[in-house]
Every structure is written in structure tokens, then in C-alpha cells.
Amino acid sequence: MKQVMKYTIISTVTENNKEADAVISELSALETETDIIYTDNMSICGCAGCYDCWLKTPGICSIKDDHEQIFVKLLQSDRVIFIAEVKLGFVSYKMKNLLDRMLPILTIYLKFKNGQMRHYTRYKNRTDLGLLYIGNADAEYLAGWMERVAINFDSRSLGVYEIGNRKEFYHALGDH
Amino acid sequence: MHLVIISCSPRAQKDSNTSKIIERFKAGFEKESHTTEVHYLFMKNTWASIREAFDRNEHILFAVPLFVECIPGIMLEFLETLKPKEYAHGAAKTKIGFILQGGFAEASQLRCGEQYLECLPEHLNCEYTGALIKGNMFVLGMLNDKGVKSLAAPFVDMGAYYGKHGVFPKDIVSEFAKPEYYSKTNIFFFTLLSPLQKLFFSLFARKRGCKASLNAKPYH
């Protein structure tokens, strides 16, 4: 029996964004189990850089806010697709905060992988990450950045596409 | 030259590795009779005065901890509140430099972040003067004052260099940031001695009051 892929779409743009809505309905129509999270009305702080999630309460973030439900959802998903605005040539802080807060996925323990130092991941499951962005950006740079983000979390990048090119993204999803 | 230094760490000043680096850099920079003022992004209620300092001054240095391959969310949030600079006819553009520090020792781990910093000043209609990158800075938080002073000492010289030249040339940065990668021999010995690394971190965590395994899986 074919296993159904679990997707989570995390939209960090304001609700009722037409392009983001289109992505959500198009991806939901795929042969997948899809959850949708809108972060616009959630309370999510930036990472405090305290490293408590490594050294004091391993695996648990010291900040108690709505991020925990995103963290749990990410652990339960095969693939997470972010929708984010681009500001100053990079993803908006609203998306970056989500990723910065993913640190509890890693342990403090270190290893080498492909010639570079990495942290061991805390959990066995791997969640692949993709990004559809709104605005003007260097797509090649963002794609390279996402590749490196994925390597850190021992996962794979599903690619980075401007939201208008999302059909290419859907096509590429089938190749991964 | 008067340099506005903006610490982009979300950590309070006393706990911040970035602040420790700034202290050393500043000591070298001020040797050349230059002056500095330091601002900290971790206190959001001070952002209005930091914006004002950014708008008013011609020499800015952002000191940045690497977070997930680029700049931290708190810095992005602050930058999104800035307006691109406007200049009187013929006026020189504001110059922006960076210190980018990370936990992993290899300079190659900081290159993706450095690449973004190269294009950031242009978005603010400013001029890029380079990024001083350096890894292995996680350990600053584990050292006593003497150890911090010793590990961060090279930043004094780089502060003096920036005071004299006003730029961080790529070749000098690469030399400062070495190693780009660990050698195969180093990787072999690190891997061989890995149990010691785990023991060290476990003991360090116990000292901080941690009772759980560092491999705990609370959301399993």
C-alpha cells in the first residue's frame, strides 16, 4: 500500500494573501495528508540564544509561546513547506524566527559529516523543507541557504521558488 | 572615526559571546584615537534610539552571531524597521561593516551568512566595508574571564586594523578565520575521541543544573 506523505504548510504571511491561499488549496489537492498553520495571529518570539534546549532542559525550548505546536507539527511531518515574504533580500524575520527556534531538534553533541562539523539530531524522523517566497530575492542564494539549513537538521531541501513559479515547485516535489 | 556598534545577539549583554567580542574589538579600534558607541538589540524598548544612531552616523558595525546559517531573527526584525538612507547631493554613503561569529570552528560554516551580509548594505542604500568572520566562539561562554580575554584577543588587532583602514579585506579575513575546513587527520582524531566530547558536555550540563540526558526526546 502506498504510504501517504504528511505535509505541513506554514504560512508566515498575512491571512487572505491570494497567492498563499492558492498554494494552500493546490497543495491540499495533492495526494497527501496536509496540515496548514498560519503564524500571523500566533505569538512567536525569536530564539533567545540561551542554549537551555541543549544544556539545561534538553530538547525543550525555554520560551513558552505558540512555537511549540509548530515544533511538534514539524516533527510529525514528512515535508514542511514555508510560505514567506522576502524583505531586504532574505526571508522575513517571521520565518527566520521559526527556524532559529528549531534548535531543540539537535543535541549539543558533535560529529563530522561530509567534512564539516554537525550536531547530532535528537529524533530519528527527518522532515524535508521547502520554501515559496513572495517578493524580490536572489533565488539561487536562498536555495543555497535552504540546502545548508536542511543539512544542519539532517534533512533535505525541497527547493526554493518564487511563489509565481510554484508549478515548477510542485513538479520538483515529485522528483524528491 | 566614530563607529556605531550594534550587537545583534538576543542574549543579555552579560551573557553574550558577541558582547565579549565587541569589547575586545572596541579596545583595538579605540587605540587609533577613534570613538565608539555600542547598542544592544536584545532590549527592544531601545530600538528607537538605535534607529536614530543608525540614521545619524556614517560608520556602522553590526556584530552578529550566526543563527541557522544566517543572521538571527531579532536582527532581521530590527532591520525591517529601518528605512534606506537618503543623502544630500555629493555626500558619501554610510559605511557598514560586520563581525559574524559562529559556534563551529570552520570558516566555511560562516560563508553562507557572509554572502548575505555582502548584499545587505545595498538594501539600506549603504556601502559594504566587509565582514570579519570567526568560528569556535561557542566556547567563550564556557570560559572564565582570563580564557575569554585570551580567545578573543585577536579581535583587538582586528579592531585596530579596522580603525586604520576602515575595511575588512577578504584575504585578511580568511587568514583570521582559519581553518576553512578541518584536516582529515583532525577529523579522524576528533571522531576517535568523541566519547570525551560527550563526557565533557554532560559534565558541563550537570554543573548548570541539568538532570536529564542530553539526548532526551521529550516530544517522542
Side-chain angles (χ1 to χ4, degrees):
Chain A
M1 198 178 112
K2 196 179 166 190
Q3 206 173 353
V4 175
M5 189 81 76
K6 285 185 188 170
Y7 275 68
T8 298
I9 304 169
I10 302 178
S11 174
T12 62
V13 302
T14 47
E15 276 193 56
N16 303 320
N17 177 299
K18 280 184 183 169
E19 284 182 300
D21 286 348
V23 170
I24 288 162
S25 77
E26 287 157 8
L27 277 173
S28 303
L30 296 177
E31 210 178 317
T32 57
E33 191 183 313
T34 307
D35 284 315
I36 299 151
I37 297 175
Y38 296 95
T39 63
D40 199 36
N41 293 318
M42 295 173 99
S43 165
I44 297 167
C45 300
C47 173
C50 64
Y51 296 116
D52 279 6
C53 61
W54 283 353
L55 288 165
K56 201 170 176 184
T57 51
I60 300 172
C61 181
S62 64
I63 303 171
K64 302 302 169 205
D65 63 10
D66 292 336
H67 187 267
E68 187 180 27
Q69 53 186 288
I70 294 177
F71 185 85
V72 170
K73 191 56 79 179
L74 190 133
L75 286 177
Q76 293 168 342
S77 304
D78 297 305
R79 293 177 166 183
V80 167
I81 314 292
F82 291 96
I83 302 174
E85 274 185 282
V86 160
K87 303 260 176 86
L88 301 163
F90 196 64
V91 294
S92 157
Y93 78 93
K94 290 177 184 173
M95 175 180 165
K96 188 60 170 43
N97 278 347
L98 300 182
L99 288 175
D100 290 350
R101 295 276 302 279
M102 290 299 172
L103 218 58
I105 281 189
L106 307 173
T107 73
I108 195 168
Y109 296 141
L110 300 163
K111 62 179 177 179
F112 277 92
K113 193 174 178 186
N114 299 326
Q116 278 192 323
M117 201 172 255
R118 297 280 160 235
H119 288 278
Y120 281 92
T121 50
R122 194 173 295 279
Y123 302 96
K124 275 188 181 165
N125 48 314
R126 301 283 173 265
T127 308
D128 297 334
L129 308 170
L131 167 64
L132 289 166
Y133 66 87
I134 299 169
N136 293 319
D138 177 348
E140 202 179 320
Y141 173 74
L142 285 182
W145 168 70
M146 186 55 95
E147 289 280 349
R148 287 198 57 88
V149 171
I151 288 169
N152 277 292
F153 293 130
D154 214 0
S155 68
R156 291 179 311 166
S157 168
L158 299 167
V160 174
Y161 295 81
E162 197 273 321
I163 202 159
N165 298 329
R166 59 185 180 274
K167 294 279 163 25
E168 282 176 47
F169 180 56
Y170 303 155
H171 186 73
L173 285 177
D175 297 335
H176 283 281
Chain B
M1 189 198 310
H2 181 70
L3 185 66
V4 171
I5 303 175
I6 302 174
S7 171
C8 301
S9 170
R11 281 201 210 176
Q13 186 183 346
K14 65 178 178 57
D15 302 320
S16 158
N17 295 337
T18 306
S19 295
K20 289 167 187 158
I21 290 167
I22 289 172
E23 269 179 45
R24 308 315 303 145
F25 182 87
K26 190 172 157 310
F29 182 82
E30 290 178 347
K31 273 185 191 169
E32 299 282 332
S33 306
H34 298 308
T35 54
T36 58
E37 61 183 81
V38 186
H39 299 267
Y40 300 89
L41 288 188
F42 78 92
M43 292 181 293
K44 284 194 176 179
N45 58 353
T46 64
W47 281 16
S49 64
I50 305 177
R51 266 193 297 276
E52 202 187 308
F54 176 84
D55 290 337
R56 197 179 63 225
N57 285 276
E58 294 170 1
H59 300 279
I60 314 286
L61 181 90
F62 288 97
V64 189
L66 185 80
F67 272 37
V68 190
E69 297 293 332
C70 202
I71 66 179
I74 191 171
M75 180 177 174
L76 282 167
E77 188 175 357
F78 173 74
L79 292 173
E80 287 178 27
T81 70
L82 297 177
K83 286 183 184 143
K85 285 214 174 185
E86 291 175 5
Y87 305 96
H89 183 69
K93 280 190 172 182
T94 293
K95 293 172 175 56
I96 299 183
F98 301 92
I99 294 174
L100 179 65
Q101 61 93 1
F104 292 131
E106 310 109 300
S108 55
Q109 305 264 16
L110 292 147
R111 296 297 184 188
C112 183
E114 179 195 33
Q115 202 184 333
Y116 174 63
L117 296 178
E118 283 172 11
C119 71
L120 175 58
E122 204 180 313
H123 289 282
L124 299 166
N125 196 20
C126 296
E127 194 179 304
Y128 176 70
T129 60
L132 181 64
I133 62 170
K134 188 69 181 167
N136 204 27
M137 293 293 111
F138 181 81
V139 288
L140 279 178
M142 298 174 150
L143 299 173
N144 59 21
D145 288 351
K146 202 175 161 192
V148 169
K149 223 170 180 179
S150 162
L151 187 66
F155 283 97
V156 178
D157 291 340
M158 290 312 297
Y161 184 94
Y162 197 69
K164 196 169 179 185
H165 302 281
V167 288
F168 295 123
K170 280 214 165 208
D171 56 338
I172 286 176
V173 169
S174 289
E175 188 59 34
F176 177 80
K178 273 181 176 177
E180 192 69 30
Y181 290 91
Y182 276 113
S183 67
K184 281 185 178 167
T185 313
N186 280 345
I187 293 174
F188 172 77
F189 281 111
F190 180 91
T191 309
L192 194 70
L193 299 172
S194 190
L196 288 180
Q197 171 232 148
K198 292 184 176 177
L199 181 67
F200 168 78
F201 283 129
S202 298
L203 291 174
F204 184 76
R206 291 277 172 275
K207 238 173 126 181
R208 283 172 61 125
C210 176
K211 292 187 174 69
S213 157
L214 297 190
N215 278 322
K217 297 172 179 58
Y219 296 101
H220 201 54

